[in-house]
Amino acid sequence: MAEQDQVRTRTASVARKTNETDIKLSFEVDGTGISELQTDVPFLNHMLDLFTKHGHFNLKVDAKGDIEIDDHHTVEDIGICLGQTLREALGNKRGIKRYASVFVPMDEALAQVVIDISNRPHFEYRAEYPTANVGSFETQLVQEFLWKFALEARITLHVIVHYGQNTHHMIEGVFKALGRALDEATSIDPRVQGVPSTKGVL
């Protein structure tokens, strides 16, 4: 019964404070797409809102960082915190589907996210954007966020932007696909007995 309860309440929270950032983040796997986002990086707020909505998660982020330098530390540390909460929320991973592959079109752009909740952190990233910035947001920070998220969540994450002309659309496709792929990979399959691995553990 305890394991079933854990599956029904797959949530976690983390507080991380350094000389560069102060972050409080809570994540619920089995949510309804509700986000409460307060960060100093508006474009990241927008992307996390899309991620939450399309993944049917609940996500709350209160983050302050040294944006007078740049957005790097804030984006990186939010990725770290989100990965940590996902890993904790999934617990023993009993009954999950584990794998997912999702394509998302965003107008002229096409993004793909492939996930294995493997307990083996690995990240592959194939994306070339037409511009180095979207507004004040540096596109290189997308890679930084995703890599730290995958590392802390201990998942295998492959992200491919197959094509596109508008940088905003391309990144938006990535975050929508990430939400949908993670939703599928973390969903409970009643046919799965224990964890989906011949090793008996993930």
Side-chain angles (χ1 to χ4, degrees):
M1 186 67 178
E3 288 178 350
Q4 292 176 348
D5 289 344
Q6 182 184 30
V7 167
R8 286 198 301 268
T9 59
R10 296 186 296 175
T11 65
S13 299
V14 67
R16 174 185 171 89
K17 187 171 184 178
T18 72
N19 291 333
E20 299 165 342
T21 62
D22 186 357
I23 298 170
K24 297 179 181 65
L25 187 150
S26 61
F27 182 68
E28 182 176 357
V29 176
D30 306 301
T32 56
I34 298 172
S35 60
E36 298 178 43
L37 307 170
Q38 296 184 19
T39 85
D40 299 323
V41 187
F43 186 76
L44 183 62
N45 288 346
H46 179 37
M47 294 302 108
L48 290 176
D49 186 43
L50 295 169
F51 162 78
T52 304
K53 186 71 173 179
H54 286 267
H56 305 288
F57 310 125
N58 289 341
L59 175 63
K60 186 174 183 179
V61 182
D62 185 359
K64 298 177 178 63
D66 55 357
I67 60 165
E68 69 279 3
I69 297 174
D70 65 12
D71 295 341
H72 182 103
H73 296 139
T74 303
V75 173
E76 178 182 37
D77 286 5
I78 291 173
I80 289 171
C81 291
L82 183 60
Q84 289 175 345
T85 56
L86 172 62
R87 184 182 181 192
E88 182 180 343
L90 289 179
N92 57 25
K93 306 179 186 69
R94 291 178 62 87
I96 65 168
K97 288 186 175 180
R98 177 177 169 179
Y99 294 98
S101 177
V102 171
F103 287 86
V104 166
M106 178 61 199
D107 295 353
E108 86 298 342
L110 182 64
Q112 180 185 13
V113 171
V114 184
I115 289 177
D116 175 11
I117 301 176
S118 59
N119 200 33
R120 297 190 307 275
H122 188 84
F123 180 53
E124 294 289 339
Y125 188 62
R126 304 288 185 269
E128 294 183 8
Y129 301 111
T131 62
N133 294 77
V134 179
S136 62
F137 184 85
E138 298 179 19
T139 58
Q140 65 178 348
L141 295 180
V142 176
Q143 180 173 0
E144 195 66 32
F145 174 88
L146 294 170
W147 161 229
K148 294 305 166 51
F149 168 66
L151 180 66
E152 294 295 333
R154 295 192 63 82
I155 64 174
T156 297
L157 177 63
H158 291 241
V159 175
I160 306 165
V161 180
H162 290 278
Y163 46 79
Q165 298 176 0
N166 182 288
T167 302
H168 187 131
H169 291 170
M170 295 164 78
I171 297 173
E172 183 167 328
V174 167
F175 277 85
K176 287 178 177 178
L178 178 64
R180 288 180 173 270
L182 191 61
D183 178 43
E184 182 178 340
T186 59
S187 65
I188 301 300
D189 186 337
R191 298 170 299 175
V192 176
Q193 300 297 315
V195 298
S197 172
T198 54
K199 296 176 181 178
V201 65
L202 284 173

